[in-house]
Every structure is written in C-alpha cells, then in structure tokens.
Amino acid sequence: MQDGDHDSTSYDRALRQVKEIKDFYGHLAVYIIINTMLFLINWFTSPTTWWFYWVVIFWGIGLLVHAYSTFVEEGFFGRDWEERKVREIMEKEKKR
C-alpha cells in the first residue's frame, strides 16, 4: 500500500466517523425537539395523565444505543470488521 492510498483510507475513515457523529447529533436534536413538543402537548391536553415519558424512555434507549455505537464501541460489525472483510474479499479477487 502506498502512502497516498493510506492517506486516502485514513481520510475516508475520518470522513465516515465525522458523518456518524453528525448523524448522532442530528438524532439527539430531533429527540429533544419532538419530546419537548410531546411534553407540551401532554401538559396542555391531559395534565393529569402523563404519557409522554413512555416515548422519552423507549426512544431514549435507542438514542443511548446510538451514542454507544458512535462514541464508545464499534460493536461486533464495526469499522474494523468492515475493513478486514473488504481487504479479505479484495485478496480473494486478486488470487483469481
């Protein structure tokens, strides 16, 4: 692998990571906006029966999973696994 190839791969990896972070923050913004609106709807329409928190809880679990996969762990099928599989397939193609 040449230096130019390595720089391109590093750049592509960094670009993909930036996109994942951007996607997470977009998800977080939508979560905050929608759940604030649901809270207000709940407050004004039925203040004695709170139901909005169910959405907050279950969507929040999904948001936590998204945060974990973005910032903490790449998981079983993370970026490293993808790159290894791509290299493996490319090597198999070269041998044909």
Side-chain angles (χ1 to χ4, degrees):
M1 186 181 266
Q2 297 174 344
D3 276 343
D5 293 338
H6 181 66
D7 290 342
S8 175
T9 303
S10 296
Y11 177 79
D12 291 341
R13 190 177 317 132
L15 195 60
R16 188 171 51 236
Q17 188 172 5
V18 166
K19 184 186 179 320
E20 288 175 13
I21 293 168
K22 182 180 174 186
D23 289 346
F24 170 75
Y25 284 125
H27 186 182
L28 178 62
V30 169
Y31 174 82
I32 291 168
I33 292 166
I34 296 296
N35 284 301
T36 300
M37 288 178 11
L38 290 175
F39 168 74
L40 293 172
I41 290 168
N42 191 170
W43 185 2
F44 288 117
T45 62
S46 57
T48 58
T49 307
W50 294 106
W51 49 262
F52 82 95
Y53 65 88
W54 289 109
V55 178
V56 171
I57 291 169
F58 289 106
W59 190 354
I61 291 169
L63 187 65
L64 288 174
V65 170
H66 192 173
Y68 184 81
S69 69
T70 301
F71 297 108
V72 179
E73 184 67 42
E74 295 179 15
F76 184 69
F77 294 111
R79 277 177 244 132
D80 291 340
W81 178 84
E82 287 177 7
E83 289 179 20
R84 282 193 310 272
K85 289 309 273 184
V86 167
R87 284 192 210 112
E88 179 183 316
I89 292 168
M90 289 173 64
E91 287 299 319
K92 284 181 184 177
E93 290 295 320
K94 283 181 185 178
K95 290 179 182 178
R96 288 186 182 180

